[in-house]
Every structure is written in structure tokens, then in C-alpha cells.
Amino acid sequence: RHSKNEADLNLAQARMRDLDAQLNVKEADLATALNENRGLENELRELKDQVVTLQVSLEDTKKHLHSEMLRRVDLENHMKTLQEQMMFQKRLHEDELKETKRVHESRIAEMESGRQREFESKLSDALQGLRKQHEEQIQGYKVELERTFSAKMENAQLSAARNSEFANAAREELMETKLRVDALTSQVNQYQSQNVALETRIRELQETLDYDRDLHRRRMAEKEKEMALAQQQTQAQLEEYEHLLDVKLALDLEINAYRKMLEGEEQRLKLSPSPSSHSAATQATSQGRRFLHGKKRKLKEAKKRGHSAGFKTVQHASSSGNVSIEEIDADGKFVRLKNNSDEDQPLHGWALRRHLGSVSDVTYKFPPRFTLQAGQVVTIWGAAAGVSPGPSDLVWKSQKSWGAGYNIGVTLITDDGEELAERKIMHVPREESGEQDDDYEEITGSEMEFPSQTKRRRKKKCCLVS
């Protein structure tokens, strides 16, 4: 489940990265659209400036046209024979002026309301001024109208035609500009709607990711609780197994002691050995081997330690790897390890943890790049051991000794936290027997006597009795 959760988390992270990439692309598109919008706005402002220029030129042309038409009206007023025609032209001029004013007012209404009112006021002022000027100049133009009417009439018609063409062109250009502005506005609205949709999608994905993270965090917490509970159960079973193993060893030692007492009585009474004792001896011989281990030296050490006559020291060792704990000094001077394999074993990151009764555990860490050669041993001395360590030995500088007592335990821990080997020194009551010479012996059991704790690895158990 943990790997599945990690895969889901990786998938969610990959999906988040894809969404981030899509968001970056959309943001880049939005920035491009905004730049284009700013460019189009600049073009719109330029077109508005051009429209204003054209309007100014149109106003100038209209003013010129109005002046010409007024001159014509003045000439018509001065002409007696053409008075009716002049009145007609004057009314025609006024109609055209009203039409132009209406068209101009409609255009101004499409632009800005403020400019419209300004233009209307200016136009009305200009018309009033022109009318006043017309009334003042009527008397002076009566004589000149007869001579210049024909020429001025032709010039006025040509100017009107040119002005109408300019006005039509300006009108068409203004319509095109309005269409372009509408298209750009719709495009900007579309981009804004897309941006809003993308932001909504991003928020939804962020909420989904937060929910997945919370769910994964809760599941991981549950898994850690389950693992801690499983570890506690495993530790409890391991302690129970070790306790049963210690009880079995004590019972085996008692059986061995009683068997020795029985054999001593049979020898003293000169009786033939019973088949049951012979089979028991054969079974004990098949299960393990015994050998003497420095009787005199161990007796002297036992006298130095002040062993009582009613107790004995038992060393219990176990190993599930290539490296084992060969010996623990009862005085706490050293601990000795051995590489039982044919290959060198790096001990970088490994540690030895000492258990001493009710005292808190202490840990010795091996130096970096330290390697235990194949088939070799290494001795870790205490700082107050009072010996000169060899070239392959180590010194625990932070501790004076490994501790003295009868409930000492040392565990070898790998860099992964796995307990690879262990050795304990226990003080148990001594059983009376006929053979008091065997004061120190080592008993190594078979694999059937000490079953494995896991399916992967089988542990070897041994016991030292002194």
C-alpha cells in the first residue's frame, strides 16, 4: 500500500507539473494577447487622432463651403432679376446646412457626449457669426455678384464635390475602425473568459492535490501506527522467545548436571550405565559439542571476580550474519568480534549497543571506512583497559570500560538498524554435581535446537558456562 500511495503521489505530482506547464503556456498566450491588445489600442488611438484631423479638415471645408454659399446668397439678394433663384439657393443652402448639422450631430453622438455638446455650441456660434457676417456683407456683394456669379458658382460646385468625396472617405474609414475595435473587444473578452476558466481549473486541481496530500498523510500516519504496533508485537514475541530460550538453556544445564551426578553415583557404586542415560548421552553428543576452554585461567579469573560457590556465569550468544560477537570480558575491558565468512565485511555505519542492568544503553559506532578482514577478529578496548591495543584493535575513547557485572548484553547493529548479532552474560545459580573441574565450558547447539525467528535468516545460538 505504501508503494501504491507513493505511485499515486508521483502521478499527482506529474499531473501537477503538467498543469503548471499548461498554466505557463496559457499565461504566455494571455501575455501575448495583452500585448496585441495594447498594440491595437495604440492603433485605435492613432486612428482616433486621424479621425479628429479629418474632422478638422472637414470643418474647414464646410466653413469654406458655407462662405461660398453665403456669397452666392448675397449675390442673389443683390440681383433683382435673379432674386427668386437666389432665394431658392439660399433655402437649399440652409437645408444642406441642416442636413450637415444633423449628420455631424449623429457622428458626434457616436463619439463622446462631452465633445458633442462642445461641437454643437461651437457650430451654433459659428453659424451665428456667419449669419451676421452674411448680413453685413450683403450690401457690398450686390454689385460683384453679377460679374463673379458664374465663376464662383462653378468653383463652389467643384469644392462641394471634393468635400463630399472627403466626407464619404472619412465616413467609410470611421466605420472600418469601429468594426476593428468591436472585433478586438470581443477577442479580449474571449481571452478573459478563457483566463477565468483556467484559473478556476487551477483552483480545482489545487484543492484536489491538497485533498490527496491530506489523504496520503493520514494513510501514512495509519501505516506508521500499524508498523509501530507490528514492531512492538514482534519485539514482544522476540523477548518471549529469548526468555523461553534462556529457560530451555537453564533446563538443559540442569538436566546435564543431574546426568553427571547420576553417572558419578553409578561409577561410585560400580553399576553398569543404564540404557536411558546412554541414549541421553548419545542425544546430547549429537545435538552439540563441548570442549574445555582454559580451566586454570578461568578458575583464576573466577577467584579474582569473587564468584560465590552457589552461582555461575552463563554467556548466551546469537548471530544471524557473517560477523559474530566472540567474547565479552567479564571485567568490561573489551568486546571481541569475528568475521566468520571468506569475504571482507565493511563496518561503516555499524554500531555496538551495550545493555547493563538498569543503566541506560550506550552505543559505540565504528569509525568510517573500517573493514573487518575475512576470518579475522577485532577487539574494541575500553579507554581505561590499561593495555596497548594492536594495529587492528579499536579503542572506545568515550567510555572507560564496557561495564562490569553479571547482566551485560552487547548487540551488533548494522547501518540499516538490523540486529545482526548479540551476546549476553548472565549470573545463574550453580547446580551441585560430581564434576567440579568443568568450571568453564562452551556449549554450541544445533539449528534444530534453536529455530530461526524469521523465514529469511537462521540464527546460531551458543552458551558459555563458567
Side-chain angles (χ1 to χ4, degrees), residues 14-32 191 194-206:
R15 187 177 178 185
M16 184 63 184
R17 287 193 293 271
D18 295 337
L19 292 174
D20 289 336
Q22 293 179 5
L23 178 59
N24 293 329
V25 171
K26 294 298 181 180
E27 288 179 352
D29 294 340
L30 180 59
T32 305
Y191 285 143
Q194 291 179 358
N195 188 19
V196 171
L198 289 174
E199 290 178 354
T200 305
R201 181 60 177 168
I202 289 170
R203 286 195 296 271
E204 292 176 357
L205 293 175
Q206 186 67 30

Side-chain angles (χ1 to χ4, degrees), residues 267-461:
Q267 290 178 1
R268 187 175 63 82
L269 297 175
K270 296 181 180 180
L271 297 176
S272 60
S274 62
S276 61
S277 63
H278 181 72
S279 62
T282 304
Q283 183 178 2
T285 304
S286 62
Q287 288 182 354
R289 55 187 179 83
R290 299 186 302 155
F291 57 91
L292 298 177
H293 193 75
K295 295 181 181 178
K296 295 181 179 180
R297 182 172 61 85
K298 295 302 179 180
L299 287 173
K300 292 179 181 179
E301 293 179 356
K303 290 178 181 179
K304 289 182 181 179
R305 290 191 298 265
H307 279 183
S308 62
F311 291 91
K312 60 183 177 180
T313 301
V314 177
Q315 292 195 13
H316 170 230
S318 63
S319 175
S320 60
N322 298 329
V323 181
S324 62
I325 304 175
E326 288 296 308
E327 186 177 358
I328 300 176
D329 185 54
D331 295 334
K333 294 182 178 181
F334 64 87
V335 171
R336 185 171 288 116
L337 305 181
K338 183 178 180 181
N339 187 0
N340 301 313
S341 65
D342 297 334
E343 298 179 355
D344 297 343
Q345 178 62 53
L347 299 183
H348 171 64
W350 291 32
L352 288 172
R353 184 172 61 196
R354 186 200 68 183
H355 317 279
L356 181 58
S358 60
V359 182
S360 59
D361 297 347
V362 291
T363 304
Y364 168 78
K365 292 185 178 181
F366 287 90
R369 300 182 181 178
F370 180 77
T371 302
L372 182 57
Q373 304 295 327
Q376 299 297 320
V377 296
V378 59
T379 304
I380 300 95
W381 296 89
V387 297
S388 299
S392 61
D393 295 342
L394 300 174
V395 179
W396 194 0
K397 297 180 180 179
S398 62
Q399 292 290 331
K400 294 182 179 180
S401 68
W402 286 89
Y406 303 105
N407 290 313
I408 304 174
V410 178
T411 305
L412 179 62
I413 303 174
T414 63
D415 53 353
D416 297 332
E418 181 183 3
E419 296 182 357
L420 199 64
E422 185 179 13
R423 180 175 284 270
K424 295 180 180 179
I425 297 178
M426 295 177 291
H427 196 52
V428 298
R430 183 186 298 275
E431 298 292 340
E432 295 181 358
S433 63
E435 297 180 359
Q436 298 295 331
D437 294 337
D438 297 338
D439 195 54
Y440 185 88
E441 63 182 4
E442 180 179 355
I443 300 174
T444 304
S446 64
E447 293 182 357
M448 293 299 294
E449 185 177 355
F450 304 103
S452 61
Q453 293 184 4
T454 60
K455 293 182 180 180
R456 292 195 226 169
R457 186 177 286 112
R458 301 176 114 180
K459 289 191 175 182
K460 298 179 180 179
K461 305 283 184 176

Side-chain angles (χ1 to χ4, degrees), residues 66 79 89 131 182 197 231 266 358 364 411 427 457:
H66 293 164
M79 290 179 62
Q89 293 294 331
R131 286 175 181 175
D182 293 337
Q231 288 179 357
E266 288 177 351
S358 60
Y364 168 78
T411 305
H427 196 52
R457 186 177 286 112

Side-chain angles (χ1 to χ4, degrees), residues 39-55 111 115 169-170 172-182 184:
L40 292 173
E41 288 178 354
N42 294 328
E43 292 180 0
L44 180 61
R45 285 194 292 271
E46 293 177 357
L47 291 173
K48 287 182 179 180
D49 295 337
Q50 293 178 4
V51 169
V52 171
T53 305
L54 291 174
Q55 287 178 354
M111 300 297 288
R115 290 185 178 181
E172 292 177 357
E173 188 173 1
L174 185 60
M175 293 299 293
E176 291 177 358
T177 304
K178 185 177 179 181
L179 293 175
R180 291 182 63 185
V181 169
D182 293 337
L184 291 174

Side-chain angles (χ1 to χ4, degrees), residues 120-150:
E120 287 178 355
S121 63
K122 289 182 179 180
L123 184 59
S124 62
D125 294 338
L127 289 174
Q128 290 178 2
L130 289 174
R131 286 175 181 175
K132 290 180 181 179
Q133 186 179 2
H134 169 70
E135 291 175 356
E136 291 175 357
Q137 293 178 357
I138 286 176
Q139 298 298 328
Y141 287 150
K142 287 181 179 180
V143 178
E144 296 178 0
L145 183 60
E146 294 177 356
R147 296 189 299 267
T148 60
F149 176 73
S150 299

